Amino acid sequence: MGACRLGAPMEYHGRAASSSSSSAGEPAPEGPEGRRREPLRRRASSASEPAAGASAEGVRRNRPGSYSGPTSVSRQRAESVRKKRPLFPWFGLDIGGTLVKLVYFEPKDITAEEEEEEVESLKSIRKYLTSNVAYGSTGIRDVHLELKDLTLCGRKGNLHFIRFPTHDMPAFIQMGRDKNFSSLHTVFCATGGGAYKFEQDFLTIGDLQLLKCDELDCLIKGILYIDSVGFNGRSPCYYFENPADSEKCQKLPFDLKNPYPLLLVNIGSGVSILAVYSKDNYKRVTGTSLGGGTFFGLCCLLTGCTTFEEALEMASRGDSTKVDKLVRDIYGGDYERFGLPGWAVASSFGNMMSKEKREAVSKEDLARATLITITNNIGSIARMCALNENINQVVFVGNFLRINTIAMRLLAYALDYWSKGQLKALFSEHEGYFGAVGALLELLKIP
Amino acid sequence: MAECGASGSGSSGDSLDKSITLPPDEIFRNLENAKRFAIDIGGSLTKLAYYSTVQHKVAKVRSFDHPGKDTEQDHEPPYEISVQEEITARLHFIKFENTYIEACLDFIKDHLVNTETKVIQATGGGAYKFKDLIEEKLQLKVDKEDVMTCLIKGCNFVLKNIPHEAFMYQKDADPEFRFQTNHPNIFPYLLVNIGSGVSIVKVETEDEFEWIGGSSIGGGTFWGLGALLTKTKKFDELLHLASKGQHTNVDMLVQDIYGGACQTLGLSGTLIASSFGKSATADREFSKEDMAKSLLHMISNDIGQLACLYAKLHHLDRIYFGGFFIRGHPVTMRTITYSINFFSKGEVQALFLRHEGYLGAIGAFLKGAEQDNPNQYSWGENYAGSSGLMSSSPELCPAQRARSGTFDLLEMDRLARPLVDLPLLLDPSSYVPDTVDLTEDPMARKYWLSCFEEALDGVVKRAVASQPDSIDAAERAEKFRQKYWNKLQTLRHQPFAYGTLTVRSLLDTREHCLNEFNFPDPYSKVKQKENGVALKCFQQVVRSLDALGWEERQLALVEGLLAGNVFDWGAKAVSDVLESDPQFGFEEAKRKLQERPWLVDSYNDWLQRLKGPPHKCALIFADNSGVDIILGVFPFVRELLFRGTEVILACNSGPALNDVTYSESLIVAERIAAMDPIIHSALGEERLLLVQTGSSSPCLDLSRLDKGLAALVRERGADLVVIEGMGRAVHTNYHATLRCESLKLAVIKNSWLADRLGGQLFSVIFKYEVPTE
């Protein structure tokens, strides 16, 4: 996936844009664009009317304090570029069932002139986001994922990756209100189901217009984009060698030079599986409700844990073979008739049918078994989809895989083992953020 | 992946009294002749199989040694009837809870006499556990058989031999079961066995199958995880909890993520986005019911999804589900069906099996009986001795009935002849013999059940009368009455118990029950007498027909066929008349017939056809003895022969009501040949061939016919099929489509049916059909 495809035109626009510092109190081009997407939103008619009215009003309003720069000869040229480039701040938002993923582009090429003109609220956002690594009690910036010196739409800067639980969404919207986001006339490009769910709240509480973007479009755009720009000179994509062997297991970079066709397995709360044939040609193959939310939900019920990290930590110390019934538990060894190895799980939680065994397992064992169950199942479904679609590289993304080496190695191993080496499991450093990146790209009109 | 788990038939862990008295005669039947045992021991249910022989009385007919002499005497019967003992093979399958295993083994040991059996085939997860007990109790060596091989052998066997074995489960439909007609070629299919894990097996031929995949998320996951989450120990209780819960309290739905608007992805808002997604919180309690329901959905959906993915990869559109997770539980059949419909977009059928619980035992048995070649025979479900789907047999004592499914029985009779499709069926895979599905038609069901109830007294009387020399006839007849009455009551409540309920199945069940109590042929004497009377009239009837002009004769022949068909002891309206007026004659019957135009009347087309070239060969399915066969069918046959058409005359192999049997037809033909040169020469030149249908039913299933008949039809190139009688041409085959011309004729001798068809009692059906190119 050549950098030139996305990178080259951007560089061009970038140079043109850097000379521009002008602005005008015009409606943002995104306004009407946003409304053109209206049919996508299907609200009850009673709700849709005020929503539509409010959005029209929002577009028409003046924008005090935005770059009200001097006119110049370069204005015409600048204008054309500017039209393609929205005002700061640049956010991409992906509101999932469990987590909100936020990417923020921090411009590092701000001129003194710009700095001077930058309104206070914009400055405060920038400072707040870039000088902290945690926000409130639940927001976290994944510093290790930051993309540095990125050129995006003609501007140079760093891309920050922030996440917080979806249940804190009201607080986030409240913060937007408190920080007076609406005065910036920025447009929030948002994807994920929450873009629909919270749209009204953004509007009524935060006075903010959301531009809802298609979830799957964003996901794919995001992946292709990150792959094209790389990860600060490293490969953003990797795989595991000898995943089953804790001694020899190695995480190695993978060059996704021939990305297509690609099976994309996005493991969030639930799982979506996409077959991607080219940048614009993809389809949702299937999905399963047994995803990250299931792992964490079951762990909460079974172990009383309260965080994903805690669940994973418990799992890392547990032994699932006490919980699961293995092939060897039934057949004493391999079931040769079917070529089933003795170590394979015959029945997840199968040992828990017995009262004695239920009493003998630890919470850690249960957490581990839950993790193994969910992961193996996703691996199975992914493998079957890959076979049915005749695709042999499978990229697993989504926040279920965050700090989840056990799951990744298991997926890598299961795919390789059951496909007899035909399928390759690939992973990506920015696991859960692709939707948000895609939403940002939507904002910037980057194809 | 393999079934090692258990069926949770409720009471397994209860403190059941192990010394409970078994009603042995009704459960371990025919044990004294039993040989070849097989046992399938699951987690809580044991399935025992054995092969036994049943001694039956059969009525045999035989010509007198000097027929010429006897016929001259008016009161002598045309042939003699002797009651003989016949031995037939039967497979017995009994399902009971593991709790009873020791008591059952003791019982078997005590009743097993002089068997040469040395080994018992064993399969299932419990086979190992109970090995010593079995060996000690029965003194038989336990041979362990592969679970999956047994399962598939069993599955092939029931799919081939039991009509309406497979069904689709429809949640809110009435009935919830939609039975499938047996596909002539059952292969290839996908079998998904949901035991503690899930095995997905592609079955390609009788002996070839491949484990193509599996999943560890199965019944054991539901049970194990369910027990952890709800502190409920038993599988059935978990299912019960699930049936009361609301999964939406635990699962994260698409609408929970999207808010109200969720149509954008083309996904319904009520779809589950993340199973247990809402339980990822420490500050809420979840009800047991809700968690169980969520778990059930999660597991069923997952299995359905994987099954669909495998079906797609292997281009299969039928999936049979089995294993203890399914085993007749409406809750799981419902969720699995939903899942398959959802993930395959309706392209794949989820099918369940009536005898799913027996597959392992059947398979293990077949493994052990390979030297007897059980697969070369056709087998039939014996309705008299089988419990039926999800019914606890009402014959058992009430205390046992209370424990649902404590003892469940299946009996399969080995049929004397292998059965195949009639080669003339247009599309064997879509052929449905029965005209009305009583499971789907409550009105008709009510009528026919009552009709059979009302007729029961008469049948009992007839049965007793047929064995005047027997001391216990009355007693046996009373037992028959009880048995059949109970079957009818079962069917009132569970019309689906034996597959699709039809008039045919009601008739067949009655025949099975009569046989059960040694009334093999209650009408043998009636038939003998009627045949004698009719034979005496034959020449006169033929003479008067021959005197007619060609066109008149054709109509008279058809009317004769129809008039003969009035003589039907199976029809209550007629049996009443015959009972009160034994002299009810042929001519009188003709007068009873409806005037033309008949209710269904394509006689003119038939007549036109007769003016054309003769048919090459006609296959005629005969109905009643006496006037029907002798004065109706034979003159018609004679005319066909005269035209140059060969005739295959097919009669039942075994007795049913007053239907003419193959052996009777041989005698009748012989006697007619002695009087009639046309019949005589045709028999001699094999232009008239008498064959047996392989059936003992008053109805006709063209997909289960004697192999020899089928071969002959092919060999002679039959191009006309004549089906006569209400049972064969109206209750069954009325809508059957053939590849050649066909004639379906009957007299409606049931006022309710006549009314339904828009006619009156003794309305005539004359349906001549020519295949459309």
Side-chain angles (χ1 to χ4, degrees), chain B residues 13 87 132 137 142 159 271 288 299 304 317 329 484 490 539 645 649 754 769:
Chain B
I87 290 173
D132 293 343
K137 294 272 181 197
V142 170
L159 285 176
L271 278 184
K288 290 179 178 187
I299 289 167
D317 58 4
H329 300 295
Y484 189 56
T490 302
Q539 278 173 305
T645 301
L649 183 62
E769 291 167 305

Side-chain angles (χ1 to χ4, degrees), chain B residues 45-77:
Chain B
L45 287 182
T46 296
K47 283 77 71 175
L48 182 78
Y50 56 89
Y51 169 94
S52 188
T53 47
V54 197
Q55 205 165 27
H56 272 305
K57 286 199 165 48
V58 286
K60 293 272 182 194
V61 293
R62 197 165 64 98
S63 292
F64 290 113
D65 293 337
H66 309 289
K69 187 180 143 205
D70 296 317
T71 41
E72 285 153 23
Q73 297 173 14
D74 266 14
H75 302 292
E76 282 300 317

Side-chain angles (χ1 to χ4, degrees), chain A residues 40 42 193-194 197 215 269-270 286-287 289 293-294 297 331 335 337-338 340 345-348 353 358 377 383-384 388, chain B residues 1-2 146 148-149 196-197 209 211 216 221 223 225 227 256-258 261 264 273-275 279-280 302 305 309-310 313:
Chain A
L40 285 177
R42 303 234 173 86
K197 185 176 178 178
E215 199 166 344
S269 312
T286 188
S289 69
T294 314
Y331 297 100
Y335 188 25
R337 179 96 175 68
F338 290 161
L340 286 177
V345 184
S347 173
S348 296
M353 291 187 278
R358 279 201 296 277
N377 190 61
R383 183 172 64 86
M384 287 310 297
N388 272 323
Chain B
M1 306 192 168
D146 177 69
M148 197 53 65
T149 309
S196 48
F209 64 88
W211 185 89
S216 67
T221 314
W223 196 344
L225 196 45
D256 292 322
I257 300 178
Y258 276 75
T264 42
S274 175
S275 294
S279 66
D302 192 54
Q305 178 171 28
L309 286 166
Y310 279 100
L313 190 65

Side-chain angles (χ1 to χ4, degrees), chain B residues 117-231:
Chain B
T117 308
K118 295 280 181 285
V119 293
I120 179 167
Q121 265 64 36
T123 186
Y128 183 78
K129 190 173 154 195
F130 289 99
K131 182 171 179 281
D132 293 343
L133 185 72
I134 298 167
E135 294 196 331
E136 179 215 346
K137 294 272 181 197
L138 297 184
Q139 302 291 309
L140 295 176
K141 186 179 158 290
V142 170
D143 246 2
K144 276 209 72 178
E145 299 292 346
D146 177 69
V147 174
M148 197 53 65
T149 309
C150 291
L151 203 61
I152 285 154
K153 270 188 175 297
C155 192
N156 291 340
F157 186 79
V158 295
L159 285 176
K160 275 190 313 187
N161 288 293
I162 306 188
H164 299 147
E165 174 61 32
F167 61 90
M168 290 197 287
Y169 186 84
Q170 302 165 300
K171 189 185 160 193
D172 292 316
D174 181 25
E176 291 171 312
F177 303 85
R178 186 167 293 263
F179 293 93
Q180 305 288 296
T181 45
N182 285 25
H183 207 275
N185 184 10
I186 59 171
F187 305 110
Y189 65 86
L190 206 58
L191 177 69
V192 175
N193 192 54
I194 315 175
S196 48
V198 180
S199 283
I200 301 175
V201 182
K202 181 185 181 185
V203 185
E204 295 187 80
T205 68
E206 194 62 57
D207 303 305
E208 282 171 84
F209 64 88
E210 187 192 353
W211 185 89
I212 55 171
S215 167
S216 67
I217 300 185
T221 314
F222 179 69
W223 196 344
L225 196 45
L228 288 169
L229 292 171
T230 67
K231 314 283 178 244

